Short mmCIF file of all heavy atoms in Angstrom, two decimals:
data_model
loop_
_atom_site.label_atom_id
_atom_site.label_comp_id
_atom_site.label_asym_id
_atom_site.label_seq_id
_atom_site.Cartn_x
_atom_site.Cartn_y
_atom_site.Cartn_z
N ALA E 24 -8.71 -1.16 14.22
CA ALA E 24 -9.16 -2.22 15.13
C ALA E 24 -9.61 -3.45 14.36
O ALA E 24 -9.33 -4.60 14.76
CB ALA E 24 -10.30 -1.70 16.00
N ILE E 25 -10.31 -3.25 13.24
CA ILE E 25 -10.79 -4.39 12.45
C ILE E 25 -9.62 -5.17 11.87
O ILE E 25 -9.55 -6.40 11.99
CB ILE E 25 -11.74 -3.91 11.34
CG1 ILE E 25 -13.03 -3.33 11.93
CG2 ILE E 25 -12.06 -5.06 10.38
CD1 ILE E 25 -13.91 -2.62 10.93
N VAL E 26 -8.70 -4.46 11.24
CA VAL E 26 -7.56 -5.13 10.63
C VAL E 26 -6.65 -5.74 11.70
O VAL E 26 -6.18 -6.88 11.56
CB VAL E 26 -6.77 -4.15 9.73
CG1 VAL E 26 -5.50 -4.81 9.21
CG2 VAL E 26 -7.65 -3.69 8.57
N GLY E 27 -6.45 -5.02 12.79
CA GLY E 27 -5.61 -5.55 13.87
C GLY E 27 -6.18 -6.82 14.47
O GLY E 27 -5.44 -7.71 14.89
N GLY E 28 -7.52 -6.92 14.49
CA GLY E 28 -8.16 -8.11 15.03
C GLY E 28 -7.93 -9.36 14.22
O GLY E 28 -8.19 -10.47 14.69
N LEU E 29 -7.42 -9.21 12.98
CA LEU E 29 -7.14 -10.37 12.14
C LEU E 29 -5.78 -10.99 12.46
O LEU E 29 -5.48 -12.10 11.99
CB LEU E 29 -7.18 -9.96 10.66
CG LEU E 29 -8.51 -9.39 10.17
CD1 LEU E 29 -8.37 -8.94 8.72
CD2 LEU E 29 -9.63 -10.40 10.31
N ASN E 30 -4.97 -10.27 13.24
CA ASN E 30 -3.65 -10.78 13.65
C ASN E 30 -2.76 -11.16 12.47
O ASN E 30 -2.05 -12.17 12.50
CB ASN E 30 -3.81 -11.98 14.60
CG ASN E 30 -4.50 -11.60 15.89
OD1 ASN E 30 -4.15 -10.61 16.52
ND2 ASN E 30 -5.49 -12.38 16.29
N ILE E 31 -2.78 -10.31 11.45
CA ILE E 31 -1.91 -10.51 10.29
C ILE E 31 -0.68 -9.62 10.45
O ILE E 31 -0.83 -8.40 10.64
CB ILE E 31 -2.64 -10.14 8.99
CG1 ILE E 31 -3.92 -10.96 8.82
CG2 ILE E 31 -1.73 -10.35 7.79
CD1 ILE E 31 -4.81 -10.48 7.68
N PRO E 32 0.53 -10.16 10.40
CA PRO E 32 1.73 -9.31 10.49
C PRO E 32 1.71 -8.26 9.38
O PRO E 32 1.31 -8.53 8.24
CB PRO E 32 2.88 -10.29 10.28
CG PRO E 32 2.32 -11.63 10.65
CD PRO E 32 0.88 -11.59 10.26
N VAL E 33 2.14 -7.05 9.70
CA VAL E 33 2.03 -5.95 8.76
C VAL E 33 2.77 -6.24 7.46
O VAL E 33 2.33 -5.81 6.37
CB VAL E 33 2.52 -4.63 9.40
CG1 VAL E 33 4.01 -4.67 9.67
CG2 VAL E 33 2.15 -3.43 8.55
N GLU E 34 3.86 -6.99 7.53
CA GLU E 34 4.64 -7.27 6.32
C GLU E 34 3.92 -8.22 5.37
O GLU E 34 4.38 -8.41 4.23
CB GLU E 34 6.02 -7.82 6.68
CG GLU E 34 6.03 -9.11 7.44
CD GLU E 34 5.99 -8.90 8.96
OE1 GLU E 34 5.66 -7.78 9.41
OE2 GLU E 34 6.29 -9.88 9.69
N ARG E 35 2.80 -8.80 5.79
CA ARG E 35 2.02 -9.66 4.89
C ARG E 35 0.95 -8.88 4.13
O ARG E 35 0.16 -9.48 3.39
CB ARG E 35 1.39 -10.81 5.66
CG ARG E 35 2.41 -11.87 6.09
CD ARG E 35 1.73 -13.07 6.69
NE ARG E 35 0.84 -13.74 5.75
CZ ARG E 35 -0.10 -14.61 6.10
NH1 ARG E 35 -0.27 -14.91 7.38
NH2 ARG E 35 -0.86 -15.18 5.18
N PHE E 36 0.94 -7.59 4.28
CA PHE E 36 0.04 -6.76 3.47
C PHE E 36 0.79 -6.27 2.24
O PHE E 36 1.88 -5.68 2.34
CB PHE E 36 -0.48 -5.58 4.29
CG PHE E 36 -1.54 -5.97 5.27
CD1 PHE E 36 -1.21 -6.33 6.56
CD2 PHE E 36 -2.88 -6.01 4.90
CE1 PHE E 36 -2.18 -6.71 7.47
CE2 PHE E 36 -3.86 -6.38 5.80
CZ PHE E 36 -3.51 -6.73 7.09
N ALA E 37 0.21 -6.51 1.07
CA ALA E 37 0.84 -6.11 -0.19
C ALA E 37 0.63 -4.62 -0.44
O ALA E 37 -0.45 -4.08 -0.18
CB ALA E 37 0.24 -6.92 -1.35
N THR E 38 1.66 -3.98 -0.95
CA THR E 38 1.56 -2.58 -1.35
C THR E 38 1.19 -2.53 -2.83
O THR E 38 1.84 -3.15 -3.66
CB THR E 38 2.89 -1.85 -1.10
OG1 THR E 38 3.18 -1.92 0.30
CG2 THR E 38 2.81 -0.39 -1.53
N ILE E 39 0.12 -1.79 -3.14
CA ILE E 39 -0.44 -1.76 -4.49
C ILE E 39 -0.30 -0.35 -5.05
O ILE E 39 -0.83 0.60 -4.47
CB ILE E 39 -1.93 -2.16 -4.47
CG1 ILE E 39 -2.14 -3.51 -3.76
CG2 ILE E 39 -2.52 -2.17 -5.88
CD1 ILE E 39 -1.48 -4.67 -4.43
N VAL E 40 0.41 -0.21 -6.17
CA VAL E 40 0.61 1.11 -6.79
C VAL E 40 0.21 1.03 -8.26
O VAL E 40 0.81 0.27 -9.04
CB VAL E 40 2.07 1.57 -6.67
CG1 VAL E 40 2.26 2.93 -7.33
CG2 VAL E 40 2.50 1.63 -5.20
N HIS E 41 -0.80 1.81 -8.65
CA HIS E 41 -1.26 1.80 -10.04
C HIS E 41 -0.15 2.29 -10.96
O HIS E 41 0.62 3.19 -10.60
CB HIS E 41 -2.50 2.69 -10.18
CG HIS E 41 -3.22 2.46 -11.47
ND1 HIS E 41 -2.87 3.09 -12.64
CD2 HIS E 41 -4.28 1.66 -11.77
CE1 HIS E 41 -3.68 2.70 -13.61
NE2 HIS E 41 -4.53 1.82 -13.11
N PRO E 42 -0.05 1.73 -12.17
CA PRO E 42 1.01 2.14 -13.10
C PRO E 42 0.99 3.63 -13.46
O PRO E 42 2.04 4.18 -13.84
CB PRO E 42 0.74 1.28 -14.34
CG PRO E 42 -0.06 0.13 -13.87
CD PRO E 42 -0.86 0.61 -12.69
N THR E 43 -0.16 4.29 -13.35
CA THR E 43 -0.21 5.71 -13.71
C THR E 43 0.15 6.64 -12.56
O THR E 43 0.24 7.85 -12.74
CB THR E 43 -1.62 6.09 -14.21
OG1 THR E 43 -2.57 5.87 -13.15
CG2 THR E 43 -2.01 5.28 -15.44
N ALA E 44 0.35 6.10 -11.35
CA ALA E 44 0.73 6.94 -10.20
C ALA E 44 2.15 7.45 -10.39
O ALA E 44 3.01 6.75 -10.93
CB ALA E 44 0.60 6.15 -8.91
N SER E 45 2.39 8.66 -9.91
CA SER E 45 3.73 9.26 -9.97
C SER E 45 4.24 9.41 -8.54
O SER E 45 3.69 10.19 -7.76
CB SER E 45 3.67 10.63 -10.65
OG SER E 45 4.93 11.27 -10.62
N ILE E 46 5.29 8.66 -8.20
CA ILE E 46 5.80 8.64 -6.83
C ILE E 46 7.28 8.98 -6.84
O ILE E 46 8.08 8.32 -7.52
CB ILE E 46 5.56 7.27 -6.18
CG1 ILE E 46 4.05 6.96 -6.14
CG2 ILE E 46 6.14 7.23 -4.77
CD1 ILE E 46 3.71 5.62 -5.58
N SER E 47 7.66 10.01 -6.10
CA SER E 47 9.05 10.42 -6.01
C SER E 47 9.91 9.27 -5.48
O SER E 47 9.48 8.52 -4.59
CB SER E 47 9.18 11.63 -5.10
OG SER E 47 10.54 11.90 -4.79
N SER E 48 11.14 9.20 -5.97
CA SER E 48 12.07 8.18 -5.49
C SER E 48 12.45 8.41 -4.03
O SER E 48 12.92 7.49 -3.35
CB SER E 48 13.33 8.17 -6.35
OG SER E 48 13.98 9.43 -6.30
N SER E 49 12.21 9.63 -3.53
CA SER E 49 12.52 9.92 -2.13
C SER E 49 11.33 9.73 -1.20
O SER E 49 11.46 9.89 0.01
CB SER E 49 13.05 11.36 -2.00
OG SER E 49 12.06 12.30 -2.37
N ALA E 50 10.16 9.41 -1.76
CA ALA E 50 8.98 9.15 -0.94
C ALA E 50 9.02 7.73 -0.41
O ALA E 50 9.67 6.85 -0.98
CB ALA E 50 7.72 9.37 -1.76
N THR E 51 8.32 7.48 0.69
CA THR E 51 8.22 6.13 1.23
C THR E 51 6.75 5.74 1.35
O THR E 51 5.91 6.55 1.74
CB THR E 51 8.89 6.01 2.62
OG1 THR E 51 8.30 6.95 3.52
CG2 THR E 51 10.38 6.28 2.52
N ILE E 52 6.47 4.48 1.01
CA ILE E 52 5.10 3.96 1.00
C ILE E 52 5.07 2.73 1.89
O ILE E 52 5.88 1.81 1.73
CB ILE E 52 4.65 3.57 -0.43
CG1 ILE E 52 4.91 4.72 -1.42
CG2 ILE E 52 3.18 3.17 -0.43
CD1 ILE E 52 4.12 5.96 -1.16
N GLY E 53 4.11 2.67 2.83
CA GLY E 53 4.06 1.61 3.80
C GLY E 53 3.46 0.32 3.28
O GLY E 53 2.90 0.25 2.18
N PHE E 54 3.54 -0.72 4.12
CA PHE E 54 2.92 -2.00 3.81
C PHE E 54 1.41 -1.83 3.68
O PHE E 54 0.78 -1.13 4.48
CB PHE E 54 3.20 -3.02 4.92
CG PHE E 54 4.63 -3.46 5.00
CD1 PHE E 54 5.44 -3.03 6.05
CD2 PHE E 54 5.16 -4.32 4.06
CE1 PHE E 54 6.76 -3.45 6.15
CE2 PHE E 54 6.48 -4.75 4.15
CZ PHE E 54 7.28 -4.31 5.19
N GLY E 55 0.82 -2.49 2.69
CA GLY E 55 -0.62 -2.49 2.55
C GLY E 55 -1.22 -1.21 2.02
O GLY E 55 -2.45 -1.10 1.91
N ALA E 56 -0.39 -0.23 1.68
CA ALA E 56 -0.92 1.00 1.09
C ALA E 56 -1.43 0.69 -0.32
O ALA E 56 -0.86 -0.14 -1.03
CB ALA E 56 0.15 2.08 1.04
N VAL E 57 -2.50 1.38 -0.71
CA VAL E 57 -3.05 1.23 -2.06
C VAL E 57 -3.07 2.61 -2.70
O VAL E 57 -3.73 3.53 -2.19
CB VAL E 57 -4.47 0.64 -2.03
CG1 VAL E 57 -5.03 0.53 -3.45
CG2 VAL E 57 -4.46 -0.73 -1.36
N ILE E 58 -2.35 2.76 -3.80
CA ILE E 58 -2.23 4.03 -4.51
C ILE E 58 -2.92 3.86 -5.86
O ILE E 58 -2.45 3.11 -6.71
CB ILE E 58 -0.75 4.42 -4.70
CG1 ILE E 58 0.05 4.26 -3.39
CG2 ILE E 58 -0.65 5.83 -5.25
CD1 ILE E 58 -0.42 5.12 -2.25
N HIS E 59 -4.01 4.59 -6.07
CA HIS E 59 -4.82 4.41 -7.27
C HIS E 59 -4.35 5.28 -8.44
O HIS E 59 -3.28 5.91 -8.37
CB HIS E 59 -6.29 4.69 -6.93
CG HIS E 59 -6.96 3.58 -6.20
ND1 HIS E 59 -7.30 2.38 -6.79
CD2 HIS E 59 -7.36 3.49 -4.91
CE1 HIS E 59 -7.90 1.60 -5.90
NE2 HIS E 59 -7.94 2.25 -4.75
N GLN E 60 -5.17 5.36 -9.48
CA GLN E 60 -4.80 6.00 -10.73
C GLN E 60 -4.46 7.49 -10.56
O GLN E 60 -5.15 8.22 -9.87
CB GLN E 60 -5.94 5.89 -11.76
CG GLN E 60 -6.26 4.49 -12.20
CD GLN E 60 -7.35 3.84 -11.39
OE1 GLN E 60 -7.52 4.13 -10.21
NE2 GLN E 60 -8.11 2.95 -12.03
N ASN E 61 -3.38 7.90 -11.24
CA ASN E 61 -3.02 9.31 -11.40
C ASN E 61 -2.75 10.03 -10.08
O ASN E 61 -2.85 11.26 -10.02
CB ASN E 61 -4.10 10.06 -12.19
CG ASN E 61 -4.33 9.43 -13.55
OD1 ASN E 61 -3.39 9.20 -14.30
ND2 ASN E 61 -5.59 9.15 -13.86
N VAL E 62 -2.40 9.30 -9.06
CA VAL E 62 -2.00 9.92 -7.79
C VAL E 62 -0.58 10.47 -7.95
O VAL E 62 0.27 9.85 -8.60
CB VAL E 62 -2.05 8.89 -6.65
CG1 VAL E 62 -1.37 9.41 -5.39
CG2 VAL E 62 -3.50 8.51 -6.36
N ALA E 63 -0.32 11.64 -7.34
CA ALA E 63 1.04 12.20 -7.31
C ALA E 63 1.52 12.26 -5.86
O ALA E 63 0.83 12.82 -4.99
CB ALA E 63 1.07 13.58 -7.92
#
């Protein structure tokens, strides 16, 4: 509700993935997701 109230289109949220995260090439990550250190 808080984020929706800002009326920002979802595609204007940056996706942030730490360099140490391990993400499968078959996985999908949404707009505005933040993936921190050493996440698998």
Side-chain angles (χ1 to χ4, degrees):
I25 293 170
V26 174
L29 300 176
N30 296 313
I31 302 170
V33 67
E34 61 271 15
R35 287 187 62 196
F36 284 91
T38 299
I39 307 297
V40 179
H41 195 275
T43 61
S45 175
I46 300 178
S47 169
S48 60
S49 64
T51 57
I52 309 296
F54 291 107
V57 179
I58 313 298
H59 283 288
Q60 295 93 330
N61 302 310
V62 168

